[in-house]
Amino acid sequence: MEGDIVTLMKVWPPVVISLCYCYWIRKVVPPGTIRLLLLLPIIFLYIVLPLSFSSVHLSGTIGFFLGWLANFKLLLFAFDKGPLSSDQFISLPRFVAVACLPIKIQQTAPGSTHTQHSSTKNGKTPHPDPSKSSGFDTHPSSKKPNSASQPKQNLSSVNGGTPLVGYALKGVALGVLVKIYDYSESINPKVIMCMYCFHIYFMLEIILAVVAAMAKSTLGIELEPQFKDPLCSTSLQDFWGRRWNLMVTSILRPTVYEPTLKGASKVVGSRWAPLPAVMGTFVVSGLMHELILFYLGRLEPTFRMTCFFLLHGICLVAEIALKTTLTGRWRLPRFVSGPLTVVFVMGTSLSLFLPEFIRCRVDVRAFEEYAALGHLLTALKSFL
């Protein structure tokens, strides 16, 4: 663990330097193939860097930040799209933060100084902000009003309460779960697996919230929330498009969903084009999760996790097709669709998603790291 902390201090300087290089490129190299070729060494570097860590927490986190999100942002940036191209006057510190951290700057209301980049850029027709769209919800009657026409909510109201209180409760719950694991031998394995589901959710949300808080305090920017109460989802569209890990949704949409949608529209028409676009997005998401899993376990992939995302993609395609066919004439009531969605997500996670983490011994190694961190904190306390 101590060695990985030293590695972390060695890794971030080249990351910052490489992003300064990218910042310089945007000023002298026009978007297109040449800019992409100049960015390829950086993309390769970000794929390799997570392999420098042995800790499951650090290898998984750095892999998610750099190997996935930063590289997808750079691919968009090569063609003058995405968050790194949203503001041509962006400062270097903000450029670096947005590139290497899972954050998204909250857009201001129309008419203010900083508007969404697509509203005036190159004289093109405005496009909705991906994170404000309904994700993969393509049925017109089910879409929410465009957030651009509504006053901005602050972060606390978006999260449905005071964020600090919610994060504190999740932190306490995470600590309780870790303590309960000490008695795992007397607990049913299926119950332990359910606990793992909540463990991953709580830990992921806390990590992203800490990163967002650090970026906000150092750069003074308002950030958009990463989660919106996923346990309150009423459909798979609602879960994947509006509530779960919205940073990933906002990156996959312009990199995979929209290009596939555009190509499919020419083949099957605009009415059914969202179906292959959704499926393609879940295929890419599954493959990227396999990459993160490789960072964690360094084992040969079984593609079982990809099957998890393929299954959800197929079910979401069926859901969209059904809603498109019914055109809003009939919907399950929320008190039925909500529990069904949560049960389906947790059930498929228990059978396809979590077993891959256990195969890589991520749970065992994570508990060892918790113990090592506890000993380190105890030693520091006694020293001080």
Side-chain angles (χ1 to χ4, degrees):
M1 190 73 177
E2 294 86 351
D4 274 354
I5 294 175
V6 174
T7 303
L8 181 64
M9 292 187 290
K10 293 180 179 179
V11 159
W12 280 111
V15 170
V16 174
I17 292 172
S18 64
L19 290 175
C20 292
Y21 162 77
C22 296
Y23 187 79
W24 170 78
I25 281 181
R26 78 193 292 266
K27 296 180 178 296
V28 297
V29 180
T33 305
I34 295 178
R35 183 187 285 188
L36 176 62
L37 291 175
L38 292 174
L39 292 176
L40 286 180
I42 309 301
I43 293 173
F44 178 76
L45 173 67
Y46 290 174
I47 291 176
V48 173
L49 279 180
L51 298 173
S52 306
F53 300 91
S54 59
S55 160
V56 294
H57 290 90
L58 286 177
S59 61
T61 302
I62 301 300
F64 177 54
F65 287 8
L66 298 181
W68 185 350
L69 294 183
N71 276 343
F72 274 52
K73 291 175 186 177
L74 289 179
L75 289 173
L76 289 171
F77 172 71
F79 299 97
D80 207 24
K81 298 179 179 180
L84 298 180
S85 301
S86 61
D87 182 2
Q88 61 179 344
F89 302 109
I90 189 172
S91 64
L92 178 59
R94 288 195 180 191
F95 182 90
V96 171
V98 172
C100 66
L101 298 176
I103 60 175
K104 189 173 188 300
I105 299 176
Q106 192 174 71
Q107 304 293 336
T108 54
S112 62
T113 305
H114 300 288
T115 56
Q116 294 181 19
H117 72 280
S118 58
S119 60
T120 57
K121 191 175 185 179
N122 299 328
K124 293 180 180 179
T125 303
H127 297 283
D129 189 328
S131 69
K132 296 295 183 301
S133 69
S134 53
F136 302 123
D137 195 349
T138 58
H139 196 281
S141 64
S142 64
K143 286 188 177 181
K144 294 181 178 180
N146 193 326
S147 62
S149 64
Q150 299 176 355
K152 272 291 172 185
Q153 296 175 304
N154 59 37
L155 192 58
S156 62
S157 64
V158 170
N159 281 288
T162 304
L164 291 178
V165 174
Y167 293 135
L169 292 175
K170 290 181 175 70
V172 170
L174 183 60
V176 171
L177 286 176
V178 172
K179 191 63 180 176
I180 293 176
Y181 293 142
D182 293 338
Y183 309 96
S184 58
E185 293 182 356
S186 8
I187 302 176
N188 190 297
K190 293 183 179 180
V191 176
I192 295 292
M193 294 281 278
C194 290
M195 291 167 59
Y196 285 166
C197 288
F198 288 99
H199 187 147
I200 292 174
Y201 165 49
F202 292 153
M203 187 174 66
L204 185 58
E205 184 164 8
I206 290 171
I207 289 174
L208 295 179
V210 169
V211 171
M214 293 172 59
K216 180 179 178 180
S217 62
T218 54
L219 300 176
I221 53 180
E222 288 295 327
L223 304 174
E224 297 186 352
Q226 304 292 345
F227 293 86
K228 291 184 180 179
D229 300 321
L231 295 178
C232 297
S233 302
T234 57
S235 67
L236 288 179
Q237 286 180 310
D238 190 30
F239 179 83
W240 290 112
R242 300 193 193 103
R243 296 183 180 274
W244 179 260
N245 206 346
L246 300 180
M247 184 72 251
V248 170
T249 301
S250 67
I251 289 299
L252 285 176
R253 188 174 183 89
T255 52
V256 183
Y257 179 82
E258 291 177 353
T260 308
L261 182 70
K262 184 178 180 180
S265 298
K266 301 176 181 178
V267 179
V268 297
S270 58
R271 179 179 173 85
W272 298 106
L275 304 187
V278 166
M279 201 65 222
T281 303
F282 273 86
V283 169
V284 172
S285 181
L287 294 176
M288 295 311 300
H289 278 82
E290 293 286 353
L291 177 63
I292 301 300
L293 190 66
F294 180 77
Y295 289 144
L296 294 172
R298 315 293 164 84
L299 298 178
E300 183 178 348
T302 63
F303 295 101
R304 190 174 182 180
M305 189 169 288
T306 301
C307 291
F308 168 83
F309 287 95
L310 289 176
L311 174 61
H312 276 255
I314 292 171
C315 292
L316 183 49
V317 163
E319 182 180 308
I320 294 173
L322 185 62
K323 289 180 178 179
T324 302
T325 303
L326 294 176
T327 60
R329 287 174 293 179
W330 181 82
R331 295 289 177 86
L332 284 174
R334 293 175 64 91
F335 69 87
V336 175
S337 62
L340 283 178
T341 301
V342 174
V343 168
F344 178 77
V345 172
M346 290 195 65
T348 52
S349 298
L350 294 177
S351 59
L352 293 173
F353 192 87
L354 289 176
E356 288 297 279
F357 285 94
I358 295 174
R359 180 178 71 91
C360 296
R361 300 183 70 251
V362 171
D363 53 338
V364 176
R365 292 162 56 202
F367 299 148
E368 292 174 351
E369 290 173 16
Y370 291 144
L373 181 61
H375 293 172
L376 179 61
L377 293 176
T378 303
L380 288 174
K381 190 182 295 184
S382 61
F383 176 76
L384 297 175

